[in-house]
Structure formats: structure tokens, C-alpha cells
Amino acid sequence: MFRYHWYRTRFFVHTFQQVGYKNNEYWQWLRAHWDEKVIPIDLGVFNLILLISVAADGFFGSVVTKNTLAVIFFVYAVFWLSSVKRYKQDKVKKPLVLTNRVKRLLIPVVVLGILFPGFLTFEAYTGRYLYNYSPGLLNFDIILLVFGWVFSAILIPFFIFIGSWITKPIERSIQEGFKKQARKKLASMPQLKVIAITGSYGKTSTKFMIRDLLKERFSVCSTPGSYNTPMGICKVINNDLQSHHQILILEMGARYEGNIQELCDIAQPDISVVTNVGVAHLETFGSQEVIAREKGTLVDNLSQGGVAILNADDIHVSKMGTGRSDITRILTGLSSGDIKGSDVSYNTEGTSFQIGVGEETEEIQTKLLGSHNVQNMLLAIGVAHHLGIRLKTVVLGAKNIEPVEHRLELKKAGEYYIIDDAFNSNPVGAKNAVEILGQFNSGRRIIITPGMVELGEIEYSENQKFGEAIGNAKLDKIILVGEERAEPILKGIKITENGEENITVVNSLFEANDILRVYLQPGDIVLYENDLPDVYNE
């Protein structure tokens, strides 16, 4: 039982870490996995046996002895609870990281996990507090002993909540200290230009494009990867930002209203870049209008003389800052804008397009794939142009920009190609990725995807539309991950009258890769679209 407790505790702490230490998301995950993980059948049956044992002890105490119950419990525990396969994953995409925060959380969780069964074990042998007699070592209360351990195992997921509540003041105090340190450091660098980027999709890609275009002329510091939370931003400012840096590029993400303002309170932007307003995190925001208002907070936080670089092709974004005459608005787009792109084409070499800034035009060649990446590039060019970088210099810089890891990253793997779009989980990007795959003609076209999550009420319909896009692309092999998640995608594929003979549904990414290894031929192109974290497996 102690071993079972340990693996179960580690599993739920890992889950809590994967959902970003957010109680709401953790609770939603528990609800979705209630029968399978929270109160699985092994613990449920064990509790049923305990209830029957209590009744048997009361009515058939002379027949069903304590020794009999001890043997029953022992046999059940060995055959049902000795296996921890449910909580011991051999293949994990993102393992548990024993950070200081996890260590602080584990203190109350482990204490609660030991105290509850420990007290009832002590009581089962001594009867000191619940009884007026001492059972003794050879005559202990077997039912109370087993109940303490089994019920404690059930409570482990909820100990995480208690541990989070206990450590919350400590975490808040630590975080406020980091924020204060970051604000103080930024105040000591008045010449520093802060560029902040937000949007439903494309934040990280746009951030790296801006960094790569500016770094030839300026000393640039930027957040790595998807560092877009208060602590991620503070970590970069406090640890990486140096006195010689002229530009600080920050990615600002949001899952709830007020998140952008919290980030702007740490670092007020001089240049605000908004990529788009989509349906990512619609489940937590409630509506696209709320998302637009939240993203617009980044423009609202510009001080007098600030600059907003905005996506002209997005009706929500193009309206941002229109009521402010004290800031400069620069619009970029494929259909309209101050900086305009056109004649987009792409293949295994990347993407090429025409760029126009006023009367000046140039052709840009980049290793990036997709028209949405062209829009991201236009935003980056808008920033570079505002800061005085010539268009011909931009053309040279764009040629050297590498794709963001796991975001439409084209890679050659032996005799076949991989389009790695594993970190994408939005409808626009997913549809673009499928359309790009459909335009390849160098080999068979294969997609591996579990669909999209965190889209709230529209998740089913958006995954069905995604299925339609897959069907219309007429791909050679479709591997869907997760039977339940595959349902709307399959429905969408069927609408296009695409045959089901090239569709395979598997339970995990690892199983999909096993099938792929057998199927692959030289020249094939494989698209990995949205590789979900472990908490969404099954």
C-alpha cells in the first residue's frame, strides 16, 4: 500500500504540474478521468469489500474471523494493488520536473499522505483514541487498518488541492519578490525598448522572427520558447537581461481575463504586436469578444508615443488602438495594410512572397512554411521597418530565419520529410498545415494528429472542420490518436467522401510511430499536427 501511495502521489503531482499548477484545470482533468484515475475500479472494489467486511464482522463475527479478513485483504492487495502500471508510465513526453515549487508542494501532500493512514494504523493496534481497550499486536483491528490505507489512497488527488492551498501564500510571496526585482531592473534601463507580442496564435514564431531581424543591428534579449507567463518573463528579465541590451522582446500569453494586464504591470511595452484573435482558450474566456478585449489590453498599455504593429487581416486586431491619437498604428497584411505581402508560394524549400512597403518592393525567400507564417513575418518586418532597418537588410535576415521548433518545422529525416507542427493546437494553423501537406508531390502524404483541445463548446465542431480539411487534402495515410478525440475528425473526413481505408485510429503517439515505421517509404512527407501533452492521452 505504501508503494501504491507513492506512485499514485507522483502521478497526480505530475498531472498538476502539466496543467500549470492551475486548480481549475486540475479539477477539470480529475472530472474527466474520475472513474479511471481518481477512484479507479481497484480502490472502488476494495472499499466495497471493506463495507461487506464490516457487515460480516457484525453478523457473522464467529464465522468470519479477523484472520480470514486479513487473508482476503492481503490476497486482494497483492493481485490488484501490487501493479502500479496505471501510475507508472514508461513513455512520457514531458516527465515530472522536481522544481522548488514541486518540492514545496510535496511537503504538505506527503505529510497528509502519511498522517492519515499512519494515525489509523496506530489506532488499529492500540485503540488509544477511538477505543477504550488495546487490541495488541496479535489482535489488531484489520478493518480499521485497511480502511486507513485504502481511503487515504483515494484522497491523494485531493491532498494536491490542500497542498496547493497551504503553499499558495508562499508561492504568491515568492512570485511578488521576482516581479518586484524585474520591475526594478527595467526601471534602471530607461533606454531599453520593450517589444511585447500577444495573440491567439503565432506569438512564439513572430517573437523569434522579430529577434532574428533585429539582432544584426541591435543587442537583443528575448524570452526563449513559450515563456509567456509572469514567472517566465521575470526569469528572463532577472537572469538574462544585461545592461548592454537595447531591445527586450517578450511574449505575453493569456488564459483568463487580466493575464495581459498582470504581465504589462511587470514590463510596460514600447511596441505592442498583436498577431490575431482566434478561439484558442475559448473554454476559459467564454467568447471571442472577450479574447479580443484581453489581447487589446496590450495596445491599451502603450504610453504616449508608443507603437502598435497590428494584423490588418484580422477584423478584431485591426480595430485596436483606433481611439488613440497619441500612438502610432502600423497595419500589416496579405490583403491590406501599410506593409503588404502578396504572391505567396511554398514547397520543400520553404516559402517565397513579395513584400511592399510604400513604393518599395522586394521578394523574400524564407525556410518557413505557410501563409500564416508570412503574416507573422509581415508583423516582424513592421517592427524592423519602424526601428529603421532597410528592406534589403530585412530580405537577407529573412533568408536565415529558422523555423520555430515544433511549429511547421520542415526537417529531412533520412529518405523522407517531417513537418513538425506538434506545438500547434488552433484551428487556423491546423488547417493551414494540412493544406501545405496537400501541396507536396514528392511522395506519399501522411498526417498523425489527435485533433485540438481547450476550444470549449466549439471543440467538437472545429475538430469536425479539421477533419473536412484532412479529407479535402486527399492524403495517403491518416493516423488519428485517441478513439474519443477521433470521433469528430472522422465525421468531418466522411463528409468529404474520403474513403476510410487509409485511416487508422490508435491510443497513443507511441503506437502511431510504431505504425509509421512499418508504413514509411523514401520520399514520404509526415505531418505531426498537435502532439498533446500526457494529460490528454487515451
Side-chain angles (χ1 to χ4, degrees):
M1 285 302 298
F2 185 84
R3 177 172 175 267
Y4 185 87
H5 270 60
W6 169 243
Y7 279 100
R8 189 166 154 88
T9 299
R10 191 173 67 174
F11 175 85
F12 283 104
V13 169
H14 186 199
T15 301
F16 191 58
Q17 185 179 68
Q18 287 207 354
V19 298
Y21 307 102
K22 301 289 194 310
N23 285 330
N24 287 338
E25 281 82 349
Y26 180 62
W27 174 243
Q28 293 300 323
W29 187 92
L30 291 183
R31 288 179 59 186
H33 298 79
W34 193 265
D35 296 334
E36 180 191 0
K37 301 289 188 184
V38 183
I39 308 181
I41 188 170
D42 50 8
L43 292 178
V45 172
F46 214 150
N47 271 294
L48 182 62
I49 293 174
L50 279 170
L51 289 174
I52 295 172
S53 300
V54 171
D57 189 47
F59 293 101
F60 309 104
S62 59
V63 178
V64 182
T65 65
K66 301 286 187 181
N67 288 341
T68 304
L69 293 177
V71 171
I72 292 172
F73 293 147
F74 175 75
V75 170
Y76 182 89
V78 167
F79 284 96
W80 277 77
L81 301 182
S82 59
S83 172
V84 290
K85 186 178 179 180
R86 181 184 282 110
Y87 309 111
K88 186 180 179 181
Q89 297 167 295
D90 294 327
K91 297 179 179 179
V92 179
K93 294 186 283 293
K94 189 175 181 182
L96 174 66
V97 181
L98 205 61
T99 62
N100 289 332
R101 181 168 186 172
V102 168
K103 292 176 183 176
R104 289 190 292 269
L105 175 68
L106 277 173
I107 292 172
V109 170
V110 170
V111 168
L112 288 169
I114 292 175
L115 279 181
F116 187 88
F119 169 74
L120 291 183
T121 298
F122 177 78
E123 185 64 23
Y125 281 100
T126 65
R128 181 169 297 178
Y129 298 103
L130 301 179
Y131 302 99
N132 293 321
Y133 67 96
S134 178
L137 273 178
L138 300 179
N139 192 30
F140 57 89
D141 190 331
I142 182 64
I143 294 177
L144 186 62
L145 175 68
V146 174
F147 170 78
W149 285 93
V150 172
F151 195 65
S152 176
I154 291 175
L155 292 176
I156 285 171
F158 307 99
F159 288 160
I160 307 293
F161 277 117
I162 299 172
S164 174
W165 177 76
I166 291 172
T167 58
K168 189 174 182 179
I170 300 171
E171 300 302 333
R172 186 185 293 119
S173 175
I174 292 171
Q175 290 178 12
E176 285 302 319
F178 287 137
K179 290 179 184 179
K180 184 177 179 180
Q181 183 183 351
R183 285 191 289 263
K184 184 178 179 181
K185 189 169 187 177
L186 290 176
S188 70
M189 302 175 66
Q191 302 305 315
L192 183 74
K193 285 278 186 185
V194 177
I195 302 172
I197 304 144
T198 194
S200 296
Y201 327 122
K203 295 185 292 296
T204 304
S205 300
T206 305
K207 174 181 65 181
F208 287 137
M209 291 179 196
I210 295 172
R211 179 200 65 187
D212 291 345
L213 291 182
L214 298 185
K215 69 182 182 182
E216 296 301 325
R217 180 170 173 181
F218 300 98
S219 178
V220 179
C221 176
S222 69
T223 51
S226 295
Y227 272 50
N228 56 23
T229 63
M231 289 304 99
I233 286 176
C234 285
K235 183 177 181 180
V236 170
I237 294 173
N238 294 331
N239 299 341
D240 302 335
L241 183 64
Q242 304 296 324
S243 58
H244 63 81
H245 285 127
Q246 299 166 287
I247 303 285
L248 173 63
I249 307 174
L250 301 175
E251 178 182 339
M252 295 189 173
R255 292 174 66 89
Y256 299 93
E257 282 193 86
N259 285 167
I260 297 293
Q261 186 59 57
E262 182 182 3
L263 294 166
C264 288
D265 288 341
I266 298 170
Q268 185 182 19
D270 298 297
I271 300 175
S272 293
V273 181
V274 185
T275 61
N276 44 53
V277 172
V279 293
H281 305 311
L282 189 63
E283 189 173 352
T284 55
F285 280 112
S287 72
Q288 200 167 12
E289 288 68 30
V290 176
I291 296 173
R293 185 168 65 245
E294 179 64 17
K295 303 302 181 185
T297 303
L298 192 66
V299 177
D300 297 338
N301 273 272
L302 287 171
S303 57
Q304 186 175 358
V307 179
I309 314 291
L310 306 169
N311 181 353
D313 297 334
D314 189 299
I315 58 172
H316 296 286
V317 177
S318 61
K319 297 175 183 177
M320 293 178 182
T322 51
R324 294 191 60 181
S325 58
D326 61 330
I327 65 172
T328 300
R329 295 189 337 123
I330 300 174
L331 300 178
T332 70
L334 291 169
S335 59
S336 62
D338 306 302
I339 297 175
K340 190 176 178 182
S342 60
D343 301 328
V344 179
S345 63
Y346 42 86
N347 51 38
T348 54
E349 299 301 318
T351 305
S352 65
F353 62 96
Q354 291 290 325
I355 176 74
V357 182
E359 298 299 321
E360 191 178 3
T361 62
E362 290 285 349
E363 182 177 351
I364 289 184
Q365 177 71 45
T366 175
K367 299 174 186 177
L368 308 176
L369 287 174
S371 57
H372 63 294
N373 263 328
V374 174
Q375 177 56 264
N376 295 338
M377 180 70 76
L378 292 173
L379 291 166
I381 292 170
V383 175
H385 184 261
H386 169 71
L387 292 175
I389 297 179
R390 295 187 309 122
L391 198 55
K392 288 188 180 295
T393 305
V394 166
V395 172
L396 295 174
K399 192 176 292 186
N400 297 321
I401 293 178
E402 296 290 337
V404 176
E405 190 177 12
H406 307 307
R407 285 181 170 86
L408 272 181
E409 183 183 7
L410 181 62
K411 298 180 284 191
K412 197 170 189 303
E415 296 181 306
Y416 58 93
Y417 289 94
I418 290 175
I419 302 176
D420 183 354
D421 203 31
F423 279 8
N424 174 45
S425 61
N426 69 83
V428 176
K431 184 173 179 289
N432 284 338
V434 171
E435 289 175 353
I436 292 167
L437 178 63
Q439 294 188 27
F440 279 76
N441 53 22
S442 60
R444 296 179 303 173
R445 298 156 303 173
I446 306 153
I447 185 172
I448 297 176
T449 182
M452 294 164 284
V453 299
E454 294 186 340
L455 298 181
E457 295 179 356
I458 67 169
E459 183 174 303
Y460 190 95
S461 62
E462 287 296 337
N463 275 314
Q464 183 175 321
K465 291 176 185 176
F466 179 47
E468 290 182 45
I470 292 174
N472 289 328
K474 301 188 182 304
L475 306 178
D476 299 288
K477 183 68 175 176
I478 302 164
I479 304 177
L480 305 177
V481 181
E483 290 187 15
E484 185 177 339
R485 308 205 63 78
E487 182 183 336
I489 303 174
L490 286 170
K491 189 175 180 181
I493 293 172
K494 290 177 183 177
I495 291 174
T496 66
E497 299 181 354
N498 191 312
E500 294 185 48
E501 64 277 357
N502 66 336
I503 302 173
T504 303
V505 180
V506 298
N507 291 320
S508 71
L509 175 65
F510 307 108
E511 189 179 339
N513 285 333
D514 290 339
I515 292 173
L516 182 66
R517 275 188 283 270
V518 176
Y519 181 80
L520 274 177
Q521 292 180 1
D524 288 350
I525 303 100
V526 184
L527 169 63
Y528 283 92
E529 184 60 32
N530 190 20
D531 177 10
L532 296 175
D534 296 302
V535 293
Y536 286 111
N537 269 351
E538 290 92 39

